[in-house]
Each structure stands twice: as structure tokens, then as C-alpha cells.
């Protein structure tokens, strides 16, 4: 079974908007079923139909990659 991985795009009005990393499909879920501390930009692993877990390692790797790309575009370090 392949792990489904999602990125939290945004959370507004009690709804979490997630993007499936593999397909780009967007889903909306009630904020209350998101893991405690989940926020925009976190990567989530779908554990079951109504349970998700934050993948802190993948989230940090993604942030580092985005930072490297931005530094390359700007030609200078970014904090």
C-alpha cells in the first residue's frame, strides 16, 4: 500500500485544504480531524480514512528545498 502524502495549503473557517503530493488533487477536511499543531505547509501522511500524521522530516526537507530554490533565484542567502 502506497502512503498518501498531503501538503496543507491553507486552513480557514475550520476547513483544512490539502493538496495530494502525488496527484495534485485538492481535498477539504474539517480542521478538527487534523493532527494537533498542524498548520499551513506541513506535510501529512494519511493514516486512515479520517486520521493524518504530520511528517516533520518531510516538512523540513521541503522547506529546505524551497529555501535553496529561492536563494538560487535571488542570488543571495535567505533567512
Amino acid at each position: 500500500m502506497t502512503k498518501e502524502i498531503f501538503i496543507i495549503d491553507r486552513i480557514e473557517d475550520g476547513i483544512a485544504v490539502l493538496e495530494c503530493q502525488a496527484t495534485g488533487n485538492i481535498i477539504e477536511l474539517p480542521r478538527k480531524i487534523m493532527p494537533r499543531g498542524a498548520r499551513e505547509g506541513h506535510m501529512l501522511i494519511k493514516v486512515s480514512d479520517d486520521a493524518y500524521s504530520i511528517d516533520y522530516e518531510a516538512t523540513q526537507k521541503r522547506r529546505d528545498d524551497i529555501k535553496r530554490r529561492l536563494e538560487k533565484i535571488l542570488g543571495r542567502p535567505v533567512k
Side-chain angles (χ1 to χ4, degrees), residues 7-19 26-35 38-41 44 52:
I7 301 164
I8 301 176
D9 179 63
R10 64 187 178 277
I11 300 171
E12 54 188 29
D13 298 325
I15 301 294
V17 179
L18 310 179
E19 178 182 347
I26 301 294
I27 61 170
E28 295 181 353
L29 299 171
R31 168 66 179 102
K32 65 184 177 183
I33 70 167
M34 293 293 97
R39 54 183 203 264
E40 295 170 356
L44 304 176
Y52 295 80

